[in-house]
Amino acid sequence: AELRKASKRLSCHKRYKIQKKIREHHRKVRKEAKKRGHKKPKKDPGIPSAAPFKEELLREAEQRKQRLEELKQKQKLNRQKEHEKKRKLEAKKNAATIKEKAEGKESSGKSKGKTKRLLNKNSKTSFCRELMKVLEASDVVLEVLDARDPMGCRCPQLEQAVICSGGNKKLLLVLNKIDLVPKDNVEKWLNYLKKEFPTVAFKSATRMKDKTMEQVTKKRARVDFSVTSQYFGSKCLLKLLQVYGKTQDKAIQVGVVGFPNVGKSSIINSLKGKRVCNVGLARGVTKSTQTVHLDKQTKMLDSPSIIADPSNSALALALRSIIDPEGSDSADVLEGVNAIINHCSKQQVMMHYNIPDFRDPEEFLSILAQKRGMLKKGGVPDIENMAKLVLCDWTGARMKYYSQPPGFQKPPPYLTEQKIAEMQEGFNLNNLEQENRNTVQALKHPSPASSIAFQSAGMTNGTIEENKVIEEGSAWGNMETSKEEEEEEEEEEEFTESDDDEDNVEEDDDVKAVTRKAKPGKQQRTPTNSKEQRAGNERSRSLSFSLDKPADEDDAYDFNTDYV
């Protein structure tokens, strides 16, 4: 039985007795106070009016009073100065200790004497530096392409750097995520790409079992790895690399490069057969070079993603940029979704999302938010968060869409017939073609009716050289830098607006002008620069949604001619 707390209720006899004692105590205190008497403070009688020299005495008393007040003020100021001195000394000591710690860390690290921005793993400069390390160290470079938009995943700057580097470097194309594309479309892309570089069809495992996942409790359900842990094309790629390694008579290093979310780390996990590299839905999970040994002769190098150049179209920046939609500006996300919807078949988008007809992308997001219950206060559709979800679906492995290869083969200017022959030398292309055919046959592909037809924007320009990187101040360029680091960057470097960027904005609607505001205290601006900045801002605002214009008017390609 539980013990109850004792009750605080008293009997009447006891309560009356306590009250009586209290009254007696108060009476006794009043009586003693009356005996002592109440001593009032004596009032200063002042100087009698009949006293001689009264005015002089009053003046002296006033002066004495003023001197006392001045003395008190001086003492107070002296105390404040002493406190300030102590604070400054403590601040200097703390700054010195912090500086010593920072210097100790810099000297112990490899990158001694470099700025904090260069030391930041999330910065674009760090990504480019790590990517160049992988390209220089690799004997074979695997450029990973998303099968849904292979041309949009190709980077001409990267391909040119590998081809012109010399040293008998080879470049292979890996067509990943072929399970999200119709079978005929995969075969068309393989036939198109193999005429330029050796191409391997691949389906990587999105989830791999590791030690942490094997520990399953009774309460939590067991994870189903039957579909997500399957991978195809790994034997073909391994065999191709091993045969090439034997022809070189040495251990080869294979670098894996590509834009964000194409599946670089997942391919390495599939080749190894277990989870050795971190993977995730967020963009830019890999921030530094990782080395994985497949066997004694083959070493894989996982690299950070290629940085998309800001001069690319809005579509390319939305799909290939290295930022996370969750931490980006809502205006940029809306602009990206606008570009994606305008490059798709409207009828197939309506069928996929099971929504009625819409006039523009903003109405599409509003209808979809209402359908999924994403509402703000007062039942207003939450368009910003809905746009982030849609963009995550399109960059992840959920959406099944496909793009058609170009009608005629036109290799880039840096890819001559001689270079194509050099890239194909040392590989058994007939065997590779047969293995690709077997991989495509073994997979289950979606039908064209259940996929969305997508119009590619062509090759995506990338920045691979460290000195050409422009660290943007917007959410599309920053990678989680703190406010203190940003202030230090602004103090170290000053950027002025360029007229070339302004001209590019006027020439092409899809091109974004990249400008950096200089610090006002250090650099004076002319009135023309401020006008150019205002014009650039107005132009960037005009790229957002327009309620009056329908989606078909914005797009140069009319899908209604193909889909009746």
Side-chain angles (χ1 to χ4, degrees):
E2 293 182 3
L3 294 172
R4 292 185 179 179
K5 288 183 179 179
S7 176
K8 293 182 180 179
R9 294 174 70 182
L10 300 172
S11 61
C12 293
H13 172 70
K14 197 170 185 179
R15 188 167 66 249
Y16 296 150
K17 193 175 179 182
I18 291 167
Q19 289 174 359
K20 188 180 177 183
K21 286 201 171 187
I22 290 167
R23 283 196 300 270
E24 286 175 358
H25 172 71
H26 288 162
R27 199 181 299 119
K28 190 177 179 182
V29 169
R30 284 196 301 271
K31 198 174 180 181
E32 287 176 357
K34 201 173 181 182
K35 279 181 182 178
R36 285 197 305 270
H38 185 67
K39 291 182 181 179
K40 290 182 181 180
K42 286 183 179 180
K43 188 179 179 182
D44 185 15
I47 300 166
S49 56
F53 314 110
K54 181 181 177 181
E55 290 180 2
E56 291 178 6
L57 291 171
L58 287 171
R59 204 180 297 117
E60 285 177 6
E62 188 68 28
Q63 288 174 358
R64 203 181 301 116
K65 192 177 180 182
Q66 284 180 0
R67 282 197 295 272
L68 284 171
E69 285 180 1
E70 285 174 4
L71 187 64
K72 283 181 183 177
Q73 287 291 334
K74 282 181 181 179
Q75 288 175 351
K76 190 178 180 181
L77 287 169
N78 289 332
R79 283 197 300 270
Q80 286 178 354
K81 285 179 182 178
E82 286 176 4
H83 283 307
E84 283 177 8
K85 282 182 182 178
K86 284 180 182 178
R87 283 198 207 101
K88 284 180 181 178
L89 285 170
E90 286 175 2
K92 282 182 181 178
K93 286 179 183 177
N94 292 333
T97 52
I98 290 165
K99 195 175 180 181
E100 284 174 6
K101 286 179 182 178
E103 285 175 358
K105 285 180 182 178
E106 283 179 3
S107 61
S108 62
K110 291 181 181 179
S111 56
K112 184 179 178 180
K114 293 190 178 181
T115 60
K116 287 185 179 180
R117 187 166 61 85
L118 294 176
L119 291 169
N120 183 14
K121 284 187 177 180
N122 289 326
S123 69
K124 288 183 177 182
T125 315
S126 174
F127 276 52
C128 289
R129 187 168 61 249
E130 294 294 320
L131 180 63
M132 288 305 295
K133 283 181 187 176
V134 171
L135 291 178
E136 288 170 5
S138 302
D139 301 305
V140 180
V141 178
L142 302 182
E143 187 179 11
V144 185
L145 311 178
D146 192 331
R148 297 172 292 182
D149 183 18
M151 195 58 73
C153 294
R154 288 182 66 177
C155 178
Q157 288 79 12
L158 174 81
E159 293 176 3
Q160 189 173 2
V162 175
I163 290 168
C164 301
S165 63
N168 199 23
K169 278 191 197 295
K170 301 292 181 183
L171 180 66
L172 295 178
L173 301 180
V174 180
L175 198 64
N176 194 20
K177 303 182 183 181
I178 57 172
D179 58 318
L180 302 175
V181 183
K183 183 180 174 183
D184 296 339
N185 189 256
V186 175
E187 290 171 351
K188 284 179 184 177
W189 274 111
L190 287 171
N191 291 329
Y192 179 85
L193 294 170
K194 73 179 182 182
K195 294 174 184 176
E196 296 181 10
F197 296 103
T199 308
V200 181
F202 206 93
K203 189 266 174 186
S204 60
T206 54
R207 280 187 182 179
M208 299 293 291
K209 285 185 180 179
D210 60 0
K211 292 178 182 179
T212 57
M213 290 187 179
E214 288 173 3
Q215 297 173 357
V216 182
T217 58
K218 292 180 181 178
K219 291 182 181 179
R220 293 178 66 182
R222 201 173 284 274
V223 181
D224 183 22
F225 290 99
S226 58
V227 179
T228 54
S229 62
Q230 289 180 354
Y231 48 92
F232 297 87
S234 59
K235 288 181 181 178
C236 169
L237 185 56
L238 265 174
K239 189 177 178 182
L240 198 71
L241 295 173
Q242 286 170 352
V243 170
Y244 179 74
K246 286 177 182 177
T247 59
Q248 298 297 308
D249 294 330
K250 64 172 186 176
I252 60 169
Q253 292 187 334
V254 183
V256 185
V257 297
F259 282 102
N261 272 24
V262 292
K264 300 182 290 296
S265 301
S266 298
I267 285 173
I268 295 174
N269 289 342
S270 301
L271 291 171
K272 187 69 175 174
K274 61 182 180 180
R275 186 175 177 179
V276 288
C277 296
N278 288 331
V279 292
L281 293 173
R283 308 187 195 185
V285 174
T286 307
K287 293 179 174 60
S288 58
T289 307
Q290 299 180 50
T291 307
V292 178
H293 293 268
L294 295 182
D295 51 41
K296 291 181 180 179
Q297 297 296 318
T298 313
K299 186 195 290 183
M300 303 296 292
L301 302 175
D302 191 10
S303 69
S305 304
I306 302 170
I307 304 293
D309 196 85
S311 63
N312 287 302
S313 63
L315 177 67
L317 289 172
L319 294 175
R320 308 289 164 232
S321 184
I322 200 164
I323 72 103
D324 186 13
E326 292 298 324
S328 63
D329 187 20
S330 58
D332 293 324
V333 177
L334 288 169
E335 187 184 344
V337 174
N338 187 7
I340 290 169
I341 299 300
N342 287 336
H343 282 76
C344 294
S345 167
K346 188 178 179 182
Q347 288 80 7
Q348 288 183 332
V349 170
M350 287 160 55
M351 288 174 63
H352 177 81
Y353 287 104
N354 195 16
I355 58 172
D357 192 12
F358 54 90
R359 288 174 298 174
D360 51 32
E362 190 171 1
E363 189 179 358
F364 159 75
L365 291 171
S366 178
I367 294 168
L368 195 60
Q370 284 177 340
K371 186 187 173 187
R372 296 192 179 180
M374 293 187 70
L375 305 173
K376 295 180 183 176
K377 270 189 177 181
V380 179
D382 192 354
I383 292 173
E384 288 81 9
N385 285 326
M386 192 70 248
K388 289 177 182 179
L389 280 178
V390 170
L391 191 58
C392 285
D393 289 348
W394 278 80
T395 53
R398 289 186 181 180
M399 290 299 299
K400 295 177 181 178
Y401 62 92
Y402 64 95
S403 59
Q404 295 293 343
F408 57 94
Q409 193 90 18
K410 187 182 178 182
Y414 55 82
L415 201 61
T416 59
E417 291 183 4
Q418 184 185 352
K419 294 290 182 183
I420 291 171
E422 286 178 8
M423 289 296 120
Q424 293 176 349
E425 188 183 350
F427 298 108
N428 189 348
L429 298 179
N430 293 327
N431 188 25
L432 175 61
E433 191 175 347
Q434 182 60 40
E435 289 287 345
N436 283 340
R437 203 178 293 117
N438 295 338
T439 303
V440 173
Q441 291 291 338
L443 268 169
K444 185 180 178 182
H445 298 270
S447 63
S450 63
S451 302
I452 298 174
F454 176 78
Q455 186 184 1
S456 178
M459 286 190 182
T460 305
N461 292 321
T463 308
I464 60 172
E465 293 182 15
E466 196 174 336
N467 55 356
K468 291 183 180 179
V469 173
I470 299 172
E471 294 286 349
E472 297 177 14
S474 62
W476 286 89
N478 280 343
M479 290 293 296
E480 301 169 0
T481 53
S482 64
K483 290 182 181 178
E484 293 176 1
E485 289 176 353
E486 285 176 1
E487 287 173 5
E488 287 177 10
E489 286 171 20
E490 285 179 3
E491 288 175 3
E492 288 169 6
E493 295 184 6
E494 295 176 354
F495 291 87
T496 56
E497 294 175 343
S498 62
D499 297 333
D500 297 333
D501 291 338
E502 196 65 34
D503 295 337
N504 290 338
V505 173
E506 292 173 2
E507 287 173 7
D508 192 354
D509 289 342
D510 290 336
V511 178
K512 282 186 176 180
V514 180
T515 57
R516 176 72 177 249
K517 291 183 180 180
K519 200 164 184 182
K522 293 190 177 181
Q523 206 167 16
Q524 293 181 353
R525 270 194 194 174
T526 59
T528 54
N529 282 341
S530 61
K531 285 178 185 176
E532 287 172 6
Q533 187 189 354
R534 260 183 255 123
N537 292 338
E538 287 170 9
R539 192 65 188 164
S540 63
R541 285 193 208 104
S542 68
L543 286 170
S544 59
F545 297 106
S546 59
L547 289 167
D548 300 330
K549 274 192 178 182
D552 295 335
E553 287 179 14
D554 294 336
D555 194 2
Y557 187 84
D558 188 10
F559 285 99
N560 294 325
T561 56
D562 294 339
Y563 301 91
V564 182

